[in-house]
Amino acid sequence: AAPAPAARPAAAPAPAAPAPQVAAATPANADAQYDQAYSLLLKRDYAGAEAALRSFTQANPAHAKTPDANYWLGETYFVREDYAQAARAFAAGYQQHPKHERASSNLLKMGLSLKALERKPDACVTFARLLEEFPSAPANIRDRAQTERKALACA
């Protein structure tokens, strides 16, 4: 009897393609992640900052810098004139952190976003809430809210 032919070895799998290199690695800790996101904002990379800030806030909902990150996320939309997204982001920042020092800033920018969307009644309510809830807000924030109320002829 003839010996059985040797089994043909299977072709070796092709080596996996190397993973694409990411320009900036995701920071290992939350503070570095926030700093990286904020640096994108300072560089006026608003789309990059938006993604990085959203990632930070989702990964670190209880971090001390999350209220600031929420505010800056709203700013990334506001400067790009995406006022609907900006209003939502500033509203979320205010609702999630109503006692944080950024709360009055969130209300101001939410009101400005609503004004830009031509939602005068909502803007007026927002500016009134800011002035009522934050009588000790920084003068520039209170003054801007009062100026906007006058410009809109709020009741």
Side-chain angles (χ1 to χ4, degrees), residues 25-141:
T26 303
N29 69 51
D31 288 329
Q33 187 180 11
Y34 175 85
D35 292 344
Q36 180 185 30
Y38 187 72
S39 75
L40 292 170
L41 187 72
L42 294 177
K43 293 175 187 172
R44 298 182 181 181
D45 176 0
Y46 300 119
E50 171 196 341
L53 289 163
R54 185 181 302 110
S55 176
F56 173 82
T57 59
Q58 289 172 348
N60 306 286
H63 192 277
K65 292 183 180 178
T66 297
D68 291 321
N70 282 331
Y71 174 80
W72 293 122
L73 178 60
E75 281 291 325
T76 68
Y77 297 118
F78 191 85
V79 298
R80 293 180 289 164
E81 299 180 1
D82 184 349
Y83 298 116
Q85 280 293 96
R88 283 191 279 279
F90 291 125
Y94 168 72
Q95 290 168 348
Q96 292 168 13
H97 309 282
K99 302 297 182 196
H100 190 269
E101 65 187 38
R102 286 271 185 212
S104 62
S105 298
N106 277 315
L107 283 176
L108 177 65
K109 286 298 184 100
M110 184 172 79
L112 293 172
S113 299
L114 293 167
K115 177 185 174 186
L117 292 168
E118 298 181 9
R119 291 178 50 186
K120 176 185 169 180
D122 295 328
C124 287
V125 167
T126 302
F127 293 132
R129 175 176 281 174
L130 187 164
L131 294 168
E132 180 182 316
E133 289 186 25
F134 300 98
S136 300
N140 63 320
I141 293 173

